[in-house]
Amino acid sequence: MNYNWNWHIFFEQNPTGAGTYLDMLVAGLLLTIKTALLAWVIALIFGTIVGILRSLPSKTASWIGFGYVEFFRNMPLLVQLFLWFFVLPELLPRAAGLWMKQLPNAPFWTAAIGVGLFMSARVAVQLAAGIASLPRGQKQAATALGLTTGQGYRYVLLPIAFRIILPPLTSEFLNTIKNTSVAITIGLIELTGQARAMQEFSFQVFEAFTAATVMYLAINIIVVTGMRFLERSLAIPGYIAGK
Amino acid sequence: MIEISHVNKWYGPTFQVLKDCTTSVAKGEVVVVCGPSGSGKSTLIKCVNALEPFQEGQIILDGIKVNDPKTDLPKLRARVGMVFQHFELFPHLRIIENLCLAQEKVLGRSHGEAMAKGEKLLERVGLTVHANKYPAELSGGQQQRVAIARALAMDPIAMLFDEPTSALDPEMISEVLDVMVDLAHEGMTMMVVTHEMGFASKVANRVIFMDKGEIVEDALKTDFFGSPRSERAQKFLSKILSH
């Protein structure tokens, strides 16, 4: 293989003139983190609401939850982002569509919301499974004490269910971070986008993507470690994950 | 206090679990409900605080119709204590928090008030030293005593017990029964589903015998143990007393 390795490339001036190639990658990393965090917050909020809907005895509620989950999990993420970014503005009334297209940072908001909703379907399924895994008597005990359905979820069912699903939720958080790289297709220059740009300008493809890989790995290790701490601090003595 | 009249309940279109059940529990009375498994005892007691819905008949609790859509069920349930076969303490809350949750969220007591009440009741069931432990760190008998204390913390007008000792190891049964006997002696209105005939003969005023969803026998304790009228009750008694 005829390839000129050049690890010093990171400290060379990038073509925009503003800083080095490393600065480019770091800017991409920060955008990846920002997008992923917002997407994860959206995934947790919508996932929780839909997960609760799916666990309610009401037929209407569980049908709504079912429809939501199947809509968002059965379509490729890439297709969903295209739908939100290219198709939705055309379907809306002209003025609204124009407003959307001219929105500053449109790729960022579309990516965060698109990835967030896609992931929320997965969070919803896990939460519903977590709630279903609780003994039926827990809900009955909460009800018998006079707690309303909302209070029962808030104070009894959700705190236990979330503890149970914390390990798989960690995986979903990691998936959220990785999935933000799909947003490169709608013009979001996050970490993968910056690595590609660096490669195009410098022809140092291996260095660029090695750095991107290391950066993804680093955020994910931080997330995994953080979630382990969270799991430990929330562990219940003698119960799930407790020693 | 509890008036059950002509209650019919079906699971699905054909399977009838309660057949024209009529009985009552007066203020201060202790009524034991017994019968073979699958006879509908637990279902009947869960109908009293509307944990289980029923299709026909009515139940009146302290003058309030349970199966009236206008009844504020959480408020009504908060006035009736319920103890479950599998304790159903909330595993993520410390013992004292288990006692305080509904006092604060349902009755609106201040944290201080709830704690004072909780501590008093823990002392009463002899578990003060375990106040800051989690349910999984206690034995079954201790957990059930906590469950009774949790129900009493709501200052209930009546207590429902659904096989409170069936999930316990033999050596723990008496510690729970002792608490229940004390309660009965204090004049608490109690409806108790149990196989503990020793408890029934000690404190019950009346014994109800159920079989296949029907109330087969509803008699004063002395009559029931002396000479049960129905053949089914005789058979049941001879089996349960001879082992």
Side-chain angles (χ1 to χ4, degrees), chain A residues 1 10 14 18 22 33 42 45 53 66 71 77 82 117 123 144 146 158 161 165 168 185 210 216 222-223 232 238 242:
Chain A
M1 196 173 70
F10 298 114
N14 70 42
L22 184 63
I33 293 174
I42 292 170
I45 293 172
L53 283 180
F66 173 81
F71 179 82
L77 176 57
F82 282 3
L117 293 180
V123 171
L158 291 181
I165 65 165
T185 56
T210 304
Y216 276 117
I222 292 169
V223 168
R232 249 179 249 159

Side-chain angles (χ1 to χ4, degrees), chain A residues 135-154:
Chain A
R136 236 165 54 99
Q138 286 286 307
K139 193 173 186 176
Q140 288 190 339
T143 308
L145 280 166
L147 294 170
T148 59
T149 305
Q151 288 175 322
Y153 273 91
R154 163 78 181 76

Side-chain angles (χ1 to χ4, degrees), chain B residues 153-178:
Chain B
M154 304 294 283
D155 293 317
I157 53 169
M159 289 281 284
L160 307 172
F161 292 84
D162 183 16
E163 304 207 29
T165 57
S166 300
L168 295 176
D169 290 336
E171 75 269 22
M172 295 175 183
I173 289 175
S174 64
E175 65 183 61
V176 171
L177 289 181
D178 287 347

Side-chain angles (χ1 to χ4, degrees), chain B residues 45-60:
Chain B
I45 203 171
K46 282 179 179 166
C47 284
V48 172
N49 62 353
L51 283 186
E52 291 275 359
F54 51 93
Q55 285 81 23
E56 284 175 13
Q58 69 170 13
I59 295 180
I60 292 177

Side-chain angles (χ1 to χ4, degrees), chain B:
Chain B
M1 179 70 68
I2 304 170
E3 300 283 342
I4 300 170
S5 37
H6 305 291
V7 168
N8 284 290
K9 177 177 170 65
W10 288 266
Y11 282 131
T14 51
F15 182 57
Q16 191 169 6
V17 273
L18 293 178
K19 293 176 193 157
D20 200 36
C21 293
T22 299
T23 187
S24 66
V25 182
K27 191 168 164 31
E29 200 176 23
V30 177
V31 172
V32 162
V33 184
C34 62
S37 58
S39 59
K41 326 176 283 288
S42 292
T43 308
L44 181 66
I45 203 171
K46 282 179 179 166
C47 284
V48 172
N49 62 353
L51 283 186
E52 291 275 359
F54 51 93
Q55 285 81 23
E56 284 175 13
Q58 69 170 13
I59 295 180
I60 292 177
L61 193 60
D62 195 35
I64 299 164
K65 194 173 162 189
V66 172
N67 52 322
D68 183 339
K70 287 194 287 276
T71 300
D72 182 352
L73 280 178
K75 205 171 153 198
L76 186 63
R77 289 184 183 118
R79 301 173 61 210
V80 189
M82 180 142 202
V83 175
F84 296 85
Q85 182 176 359
H86 296 286
F87 334 132
E88 305 302 349
L89 296 178
F90 305 134
H92 61 301
L93 299 179
R94 293 172 193 276
I95 298 304
I96 189 73
E97 292 168 338
N98 261 278
L99 269 68
C100 289
L101 178 68
Q103 288 191 69
E104 292 173 30
K105 304 302 174 194
V106 178
L107 301 181
R109 287 181 186 157
S110 72
H111 185 63
E113 256 180 298
M115 288 286 283
K117 180 99 190 169
E119 280 163 6
K120 217 173 82 191
L121 282 163
L122 273 188
E123 194 186 329
R124 174 183 172 156
V125 296
L127 295 169
T128 305
V129 291
H130 300 299
N132 286 312
K133 288 189 182 167
Y134 287 91
E137 298 176 285
L138 267 58
S139 73
Q142 290 170 330
Q143 288 191 52
Q144 195 60 299
R145 280 145 66 197
V146 173
I148 295 173
R150 177 175 72 176
L152 291 175
M154 304 294 283
D155 293 317
I157 53 169
M159 289 281 284
L160 307 172
F161 292 84
D162 183 16
E163 304 207 29
T165 57
S166 300
L168 295 176
D169 290 336
E171 75 269 22
M172 295 175 183
I173 289 175
S174 64
E175 65 183 61
V176 171
L177 289 181
D178 287 347
V179 174
M180 292 169 61
V181 168
D182 282 348
L183 261 184
H185 287 324
E186 281 171 24
M188 175 61 79
T189 308
M190 292 162 70
M191 190 167 174
V192 186
V193 173
T194 186
H195 295 293
E196 296 297 332
M197 289 302 126
F199 172 80
S201 64
K202 209 186 286 177
V203 295
N205 301 99
R206 276 171 36 236
V207 178
I208 292 171
F209 174 75
M210 289 184 73
D211 191 19
K212 297 183 180 128
E214 283 175 277
I215 293 181
V216 178
E217 194 132 347
D218 183 346
L220 289 175
K221 171 179 67 183
T222 42
D223 295 342
F224 184 76
F225 287 113
S227 51
R229 274 172 291 129
S230 69
E231 199 186 318
R232 281 189 277 182
Q234 284 167 14
K235 255 193 193 155
F236 177 76
L237 266 183
S238 70
K239 268 186 205 155
I240 219 171
L241 294 177
S242 66
H243 80 94

Side-chain angles (χ1 to χ4, degrees), chain A residues 48-131:
Chain A
T48 303
I49 295 169
V50 177
I52 291 171
L53 283 180
R54 274 177 73 112
S55 72
L56 288 173
S58 148
K59 279 234 166 70
T60 323
S62 58
W63 267 106
I64 294 171
F66 173 81
Y68 181 97
V69 165
E70 300 310 332
F71 179 82
F72 282 107
R73 77 169 172 188
N74 289 334
M75 219 191 312
L77 176 57
L78 185 61
V79 174
Q80 291 191 28
L81 286 188
F82 282 3
L83 278 182
W84 298 135
F85 197 69
F86 298 116
V87 181
L88 184 65
E90 305 300 329
L91 296 178
L92 291 173
R94 247 185 77 85
L98 210 62
W99 174 80
M100 268 189 89
K101 282 189 221 169
Q102 289 166 347
L103 212 61
N105 295 331
F108 166 73
W109 295 109
T110 311
I113 295 170
V115 173
L117 293 180
F118 176 77
M119 295 307 296
S120 72
R122 304 176 54 99
V123 171
V125 171
Q126 290 179 3
L127 181 61
I131 294 172

